[in-house]
Amino acid sequence: MNIPNATNPRIVIIGGGFAGIALAKELKDKNVQVVLLDKHNYHTFQPLLYQVATGGLEAGSIAYPLRKIIQEYKDFYFRLTSVAEIDTKKQKIITEIGDLHYDYLVIATGSKTNYFGNKEIERNSMAMKTIPQSLNIRSLILENFEQAVLIKDSSEKSSLINFVLVGGGPTGVELAGALAEMKKAILQKDYPDLDIKKMQINLIQSGDRILNTMSEESSKEAEDFLKNLGVKIWKNVRVTNYDGRTITTNSDLTFDTATVIWTAGVKGALVSGLDAASLVENVKRIRVNQYNQVKGYDTIFAVGDVAMMELDNYPEGHPMMAQPALQQGKLLGENIIKLIHKQNMVPFEYHDKGSMATIGRNKAVVDLPHYHFSGVFAWFVWMFVHLVSLIGFKNKAVVFLNWIYNYIRFDREGRLIIRPYKKKSFVTFTSDEV
Amino acid sequence: MNIPNATNPRIVIIGGGFAGIALAKELKDKNVQVVLLDKHNYHTFQPLLYQVATGGLEAGSIAYPLRKIIQEYKDFYFRLTSVAEIDTKKQKIITEIGDLHYDYLVIATGSKTNYFGNKEIERNSMAMKTIPQSLNIRSLILENFEQAVLIKDSSEKSSLINFVLVGGGPTGVELAGALAEMKKAILQKDYPDLDIKKMQINLIQSGDRILNTMSEESSKEAEDFLKNLGVKIWKNVRVTNYDGRTITTNSDLTFDTATVIWTAGVKGALVSGLDAASLVENVKRIRVNQYNQVKGYDTIFAVGDVAMMELDNYPEGHPMMAQPALQQGKLLGENIIKLIHKQNMVPFEYHDKGSMATIGRNKAVVDLPHYHFSGVFAWFVWMFVHLVSLIGFKNKAVVFLNWIYNYIRFDREGRLIIRPYKKKSFVTFTSDEV
């Protein structure tokens, strides 16, 4: 892979997400060679993907060039590639751009959408884990509306403006809220020749409350917020299939829709080559000890979503979110250096800073470890936390400016179909209609 | 096409560029039905495409939703489609989403890249007339660098970082300057394992000066600016072919390069169906009289780049730029209303406000009708004029903020490969190289 020979120990990091970046920053100036690999040349701020999908922000505002992050770090290298396999015996990874030996390997590959084995749902529904996927959702929403104005058949038309979000976690909730605001503030004006009242936003949750990783108050309040925005919430409903036209569920309930956005589950983005004993097969995560060391290996680590550290207080590992990833990445940076210097590593302890979700303008819910609040102040806190967490001054400033503008004007000007999702022309008329 | 029957005369506008939008705005509240068609759902501010291509601005900052422009206009309709043909006998247009009758038709389809019939150049080189094309150029530049770090063969490597721009008009000049600044300020830092000094930017011009539609001073100064930035300018050189590896010219000169950006010519983006007598075949433009009426038709008009109004002082029509398009669009709006009311139309007269080009930070040239200036002040004027011309407050603010940031930090953070251009993996190693 054309990396200069290392005189220092070589640490290979697969993935430039929250965990990978936190780790890389920690390894700066530590007399190690670091090779960071990612299949994108940018870091993605995933918590704001839903705003890209709904036209509130441009993709570039939540992405940051990975090369820029490590630009001034000595003996750091970035390579744009996906990793095919790890050869643990020979201590090397096999990628599409060549092989690479590692002294220490860190798997920070994150997570991807879990369809729980249903190929038909996977084929027909939209996921929202990456920027290209979010841009596809944006295009699809707008293309649906462009198509709906053309069509006379009413069932076809209503299926085009019926949006079904499967999964009542933060992503589903935030997206549902954003769609409801688009409906009210934008689509109504943009499509005067459509009866926008008929646009439906359905949120399906298999459990008995949405935001089920948060407090009961948060669930309740988020539900009220969404209902006030016109979102229909279906609880205790499990989607069994979606053939591209109709959603079937475990009850009599069905939904005719052209758009299903699937946020009902995630699984680890595994890299092959690890021993089966180190994997938790059903969620595709990697078992690690308290030092994020992969079970059975001394020099291979996993951090973030893909890592599963089974502890008494976290029997299923830490939540697959930014905070554990950031904290694990940072500590692992210190621990690898300790390991190199034959010092004792420090076990990871997760500091739960709480969680939050935004439903719409002036509407958010926040759970701190011992305190819950919601409404306008929660919404400001949500915005503040997300702004300061974004990488880069310019991104912060542009996002802030967009938010102010969108707030004052009730607008989202990113409703641009720059990369069409539907490849073919919408409909072909045979009649000589004028 | 599912447009409500018109009680008012129906004006169909094909194209939402400068001319189409200026026209649409003029037709507001005039008791006409207006149907605006475009194959994109946004207006593109073409003069800043080169900044999208070089990562200085996000695509969304120079695009504006067409539906938003006409949102509050009564009896205005937008449809996302390309137009296949005009049936002038039946007064209707034929599109992929159905046919549509018109009372008045305005062709504002703009221009596209002219390869002068050379299919091989067309296949192998990049154009920069649309946002997707600009994003492709951005991706290709970055992919070339990512690939260059991997490759050991030196001729291959230098071909990847050798950029050839064909055409010394404003687009070629501005792009060359932006690339030169990327080289100095960004690529050098982003790719420490490449010898960036070997990156070449070649600008080929068939005539004996660049910016040949501007004053001789402007040409001269732009040339000096570019040379100081390290751009190599080749004048009186005509490109004869590009096979994807090597450019051949009318002299012994050849260039081995992976990237050719072709800005050497434009032609009208014609719609078929008009009588051959009304067309200027070699440049694909439509002959119009002083009222922008297409020769031979009473109710069909053409405005902007695609229109060619042959006048004594403009024997080859007006320059294919924003200003004539804006002015023609606006006047045509007034004239169509006059025509409907059986009043006399006003002949078009072009007010040349001058022209300008920017070469880089603090470097621009401006030709006013009777005055020429250049340097820092010209650069500020260039920025001001482009900022106020952008549609929408938010776009103005975001572009302004980006420019300040890029200026202070010598940076362009839009170096993101969000839509890869090269579809395949760069190289495949067979060796067991580490």
Side-chain angles (χ1 to χ4, degrees):
Chain A
M1 196 189 286
N2 207 8
I3 301 281
N5 282 330
T7 49
N8 291 321
R10 179 186 285 161
I11 303 170
V12 175
I13 307 172
I14 311 176
F18 287 117
I21 292 310
L23 169 63
K25 285 183 176 167
E26 201 58 41
L27 293 174
K28 177 191 172 188
D29 297 333
K30 295 283 164 53
N31 292 319
V32 289
Q33 184 186 67
V34 174
V35 181
L36 174 64
L37 308 173
D38 199 292
K39 56 187 176 192
H40 296 296
N41 78 334
Y42 52 87
H43 167 81
T44 302
F45 190 74
Q46 292 189 338
L48 292 179
L49 282 174
Y50 81 96
Q51 296 211 2
V52 171
T54 49
L57 293 175
E58 279 314 299
S61 310
I62 67 160
Y64 198 84
L66 285 171
R67 283 191 178 274
K68 174 154 180 175
I69 296 174
I70 62 167
Q71 213 179 47
E72 287 171 7
Y73 298 179
K74 234 188 76 197
D75 215 6
F76 269 63
Y77 300 87
F78 171 76
R79 292 293 181 270
L80 182 66
T81 184
S82 59
V83 173
E85 206 185 329
I86 304 168
D87 183 337
T88 59
K89 295 235 168 56
K90 293 184 181 161
Q91 294 231 129
K92 68 174 187 178
I93 56 165
I94 294 142
T95 81
E96 55 186 348
I97 58 167
D99 304 347
L100 184 69
H101 176 268
Y102 61 81
D103 296 309
Y104 301 92
L105 176 66
V106 183
I107 304 167
T109 42
S111 55
K112 50 187 188 181
T113 304
N114 194 349
Y115 299 95
F116 306 103
N118 190 318
K119 290 284 170 205
E120 205 167 357
I121 293 178
E122 183 170 353
R123 197 165 45 241
N124 294 312
S125 67
M126 312 292 288
M128 200 182 66
K129 291 287 291 175
T130 67
I131 285 179
Q133 286 173 346
S134 305
L135 291 173
N136 285 343
I137 290 177
R138 180 200 283 193
S139 291
L140 180 60
I141 294 169
L142 297 167
E143 287 168 331
N144 281 344
F145 273 90
E146 292 299 336
Q147 192 172 354
V149 261
L150 301 175
I151 278 180
K152 286 183 174 165
D153 179 79
S154 74
S155 76
E156 192 90 358
K157 199 189 268 265
S158 65
S159 134
L160 283 165
I161 58 174
N162 181 10
F163 295 84
V164 180
L165 317 179
V166 186
T171 309
V173 165
E174 296 184 325
L175 194 55
L179 268 172
E181 294 199 329
M182 270 186 97
K183 173 182 175 179
K184 218 166 68 175
I186 294 165
L187 298 169
Q188 188 151 290
K189 287 190 208 152
D190 267 7
Y191 297 89
D193 37 350
L194 266 186
D195 184 2
I196 290 290
K197 283 194 297 294
K198 291 193 177 144
M199 174 181 176
Q200 282 187 50
I201 302 150
N202 292 290
L203 180 65
I204 302 180
Q205 164 71 328
S206 58
D208 61 358
R209 61 184 180 106
I210 60 171
L211 297 180
N212 62 11
T213 57
M214 295 185 70
S215 67
E216 302 228 356
E217 293 104 301
S218 286
S219 299
K220 177 75 185 63
E221 284 159 359
E223 206 174 310
D224 291 344
F225 284 145
L226 284 176
K227 280 181 182 164
N228 285 336
L229 283 169
V231 174
K232 286 188 200 157
I233 302 176
W234 307 88
K235 290 182 290 192
N236 297 307
V237 172
R238 193 173 286 279
V239 169
T240 51
N241 204 7
Y242 175 54
D243 61 4
R245 275 197 96 81
T246 306
I247 287 183
T248 52
T249 67
N250 60 345
S251 72
D252 286 349
L253 203 63
T254 60
F255 300 84
D256 283 339
T257 174
T259 315
V260 173
I261 303 172
W262 185 266
T263 67
V266 288
K267 60 182 178 186
L270 275 188
V271 181
S272 62
L274 293 178
D275 193 78
S278 59
L279 307 178
V280 187
E281 192 48 41
N282 65 327
V283 287
K284 306 276 181 199
R285 291 173 84 183
I286 303 172
R287 282 181 217 277
V288 296
N289 65 17
Q290 281 192 277
Y291 312 107
N292 281 98
Q293 230 163 359
V294 177
K295 293 264 163 98
Y297 302 92
D298 293 332
T299 55
I300 304 180
F301 301 81
V303 273
D305 286 0
V306 77
M308 182 143 153
M309 192 185 291
E310 292 149 302
L311 302 172
D312 289 347
N313 47 349
Y314 293 100
E316 293 182 7
H318 298 103
M320 294 162 83
M321 317 189 319
Q323 274 304 321
L326 286 166
Q327 294 176 24
Q328 287 179 5
K330 188 168 183 320
L331 182 69
L332 180 59
E334 296 169 15
N335 275 336
I336 290 185
I337 301 303
K338 286 195 163 71
L339 187 64
I340 291 171
H341 296 122
K342 303 205 163 50
Q343 296 165 345
N344 288 333
M345 296 192 285
V346 177
F348 178 72
E349 225 173 296
Y350 176 46
H351 299 285
D352 185 355
K353 296 185 176 171
S355 54
M356 52 178 86
T358 185
I359 294 91
R361 52 192 299 127
N362 303 330
K363 294 180 190 68
V365 290
V366 176
D367 288 337
L368 297 183
H370 303 290
Y371 185 60
H372 160 84
F373 59 106
S374 63
V376 180
F377 181 65
W379 187 67
F380 276 103
V381 169
W382 181 92
M383 285 199 295
F384 177 77
V385 167
H386 283 78
L387 270 185
V388 298
S389 309
L390 269 168
I391 300 184
F393 171 79
K394 202 209 65 188
N395 281 357
K396 286 183 176 62
V398 169
V399 168
F400 185 55
L401 199 148
N402 270 283
W403 284 351
I404 292 177
Y405 180 83
N406 297 348
Y407 185 77
I408 296 174
R409 300 293 297 268
F410 289 79
D411 211 343
R412 291 160 187 265
E413 286 183 359
R415 45 192 195 276
L416 315 163
I417 309 174
I418 287 177
R419 41 185 283 155
Y421 178 72
K422 295 188 177 183
K423 298 301 172 206
K424 286 190 299 178
S425 154
F426 302 138
V427 268
T428 312
F429 285 87
T430 46
S431 68
D432 190 18
E433 182 184 6
V434 294
Chain B
M1 196 189 288
N2 205 8
I3 301 280
N5 282 330
T7 48
N8 291 320
R10 179 185 284 161
I11 303 170
V12 174
I13 306 172
I14 310 176
F18 288 116
I21 293 309
L23 169 64
K25 285 184 176 167
E26 201 58 39
L27 293 174
K28 179 191 171 188
D29 297 333
K30 295 282 163 53
N31 293 318
V32 289
Q33 185 186 68
V34 174
V35 182
L36 174 64
L37 307 173
D38 200 293
K39 57 187 174 190
H40 297 296
N41 79 335
Y42 53 86
H43 168 81
T44 303
F45 190 74
Q46 292 188 338
L48 292 178
L49 282 174
Y50 81 97
Q51 296 211 3
V52 171
T54 50
L57 292 175
E58 280 313 299
S61 310
I62 67 159
Y64 199 82
L66 285 171
R67 283 190 179 274
K68 174 154 179 173
I69 297 175
I70 62 166
Q71 214 179 48
E72 288 171 7
Y73 299 179
K74 234 188 74 197
D75 215 5
F76 269 64
Y77 299 88
F78 171 76
R79 291 293 180 269
L80 183 66
T81 184
S82 60
V83 173
E85 207 184 328
I86 304 167
D87 184 338
T88 58
K89 295 236 166 56
K90 293 184 180 160
Q91 293 232 130
K92 68 175 187 178
I93 56 165
I94 293 142
T95 81
E96 53 185 349
I97 58 167
D99 303 347
L100 185 69
H101 176 268
Y102 61 80
D103 296 309
Y104 301 92
L105 176 67
V106 182
I107 304 167
T109 43
S111 56
K112 49 188 188 180
T113 304
N114 194 350
Y115 299 95
F116 306 103
N118 190 318
K119 290 284 170 205
E120 205 167 356
I121 293 178
E122 183 170 352
R123 199 164 43 241
N124 295 311
S125 67
M126 312 293 288
M128 200 182 65
K129 290 287 290 175
T130 67
I131 285 180
Q133 286 173 346
S134 304
L135 291 173
N136 285 343
I137 290 176
R138 181 200 283 193
S139 290
L140 179 60
I141 294 169
L142 297 167
E143 286 168 332
N144 281 344
F145 274 91
E146 292 298 336
Q147 191 173 356
V149 262
L150 301 174
I151 278 179
K152 287 183 173 163
D153 178 80
S154 73
S155 77
E156 191 91 358
K157 202 189 268 266
S158 65
S159 133
L160 282 166
I161 58 175
N162 181 10
F163 296 84
V164 181
L165 316 179
V166 186
T171 309
V173 165
E174 296 185 324
L175 194 56
L179 268 172
E181 293 199 331
M182 268 186 99
K183 173 181 175 180
K184 217 165 67 175
I186 293 166
L187 298 168
Q188 188 150 289
K189 287 189 206 153
D190 267 6
Y191 297 90
D193 36 350
L194 267 185
D195 186 3
I196 291 289
K197 284 195 296 295
K198 292 193 175 143
M199 174 182 177
Q200 282 187 51
I201 302 150
N202 292 289
L203 180 65
I204 303 180
Q205 165 71 329
S206 57
D208 61 357
R209 61 182 180 107
I210 60 171
L211 297 181
N212 62 11
T213 56
M214 294 185 69
S215 67
E216 302 230 355
E217 295 103 300
S218 286
S219 298
K220 178 74 185 66
E221 284 159 358
E223 206 175 310
D224 290 345
F225 284 145
L226 283 176
K227 280 183 181 161
N228 286 337
L229 283 169
V231 175
K232 286 187 201 159
I233 301 174
W234 307 88
K235 289 181 291 190
N236 297 309
V237 172
R238 192 174 287 278
V239 169
T240 50
N241 205 7
Y242 175 54
D243 61 5
R245 275 197 96 81
T246 306
I247 287 183
T248 52
T249 67
N250 59 344
S251 72
D252 286 348
L253 203 62
T254 60
F255 300 84
D256 284 338
T257 173
T259 314
V260 173
I261 302 171
W262 186 266
T263 67
V266 287
K267 60 182 176 185
L270 274 189
V271 181
S272 61
L274 293 177
D275 193 79
S278 59
L279 307 179
V280 187
E281 193 47 42
N282 65 328
V283 286
K284 306 277 181 197
R285 291 173 85 183
I286 303 172
R287 283 182 216 276
V288 295
N289 64 17
Q290 280 193 277
Y291 311 107
N292 281 100
Q293 230 162 358
V294 176
K295 294 263 163 100
Y297 302 92
D298 292 332
T299 55
I300 305 179
F301 301 82
V303 272
D305 285 1
V306 77
M308 184 144 153
M309 192 186 290
E310 292 149 302
L311 303 171
D312 288 347
N313 46 349
Y314 293 100
E316 293 182 8
H318 298 103
M320 293 162 85
M321 319 191 316
Q323 273 306 319
L326 286 166
Q327 293 176 26
Q328 287 179 5
K330 188 166 183 322
L331 181 69
L332 180 59
E334 297 167 17
N335 275 336
I336 289 184
I337 300 303
K338 287 196 164 69
L339 188 63
I340 290 172
H341 294 120
K342 303 204 163 48
Q343 296 165 345
N344 287 334
M345 296 193 284
V346 177
F348 178 72
E349 226 173 294
Y350 176 47
H351 299 284
D352 186 355
K353 296 185 175 172
S355 54
M356 51 178 86
T358 184
I359 293 90
R361 50 191 302 125
N362 304 330
K363 294 179 189 70
V365 290
V366 175
D367 288 337
L368 298 183
H370 303 289
Y371 185 60
H372 159 84
F373 59 105
S374 63
V376 179
F377 181 65
W379 187 67
F380 275 103
V381 169
W382 180 93
M383 285 199 294
F384 177 78
V385 167
H386 283 77
L387 270 184
V388 297
S389 310
L390 267 168
I391 300 183
F393 171 79
K394 202 209 67 190
N395 281 356
K396 287 182 174 63
V398 169
V399 167
F400 185 54
L401 199 148
N402 270 284
W403 284 352
I404 292 177
Y405 180 83
N406 297 348
Y407 185 77
I408 295 174
R409 300 292 297 268
F410 289 80
D411 210 344
R412 289 160 188 264
E413 286 182 359
R415 45 192 195 274
L416 314 163
I417 309 174
I418 286 178
R419 41 185 283 156
Y421 178 71
K422 296 187 176 182
K423 298 301 172 205
K424 285 191 299 177
S425 153
F426 301 138
V427 269
T428 312
F429 284 88
T430 45
S431 69
D432 189 18
E433 182 183 4
V434 295

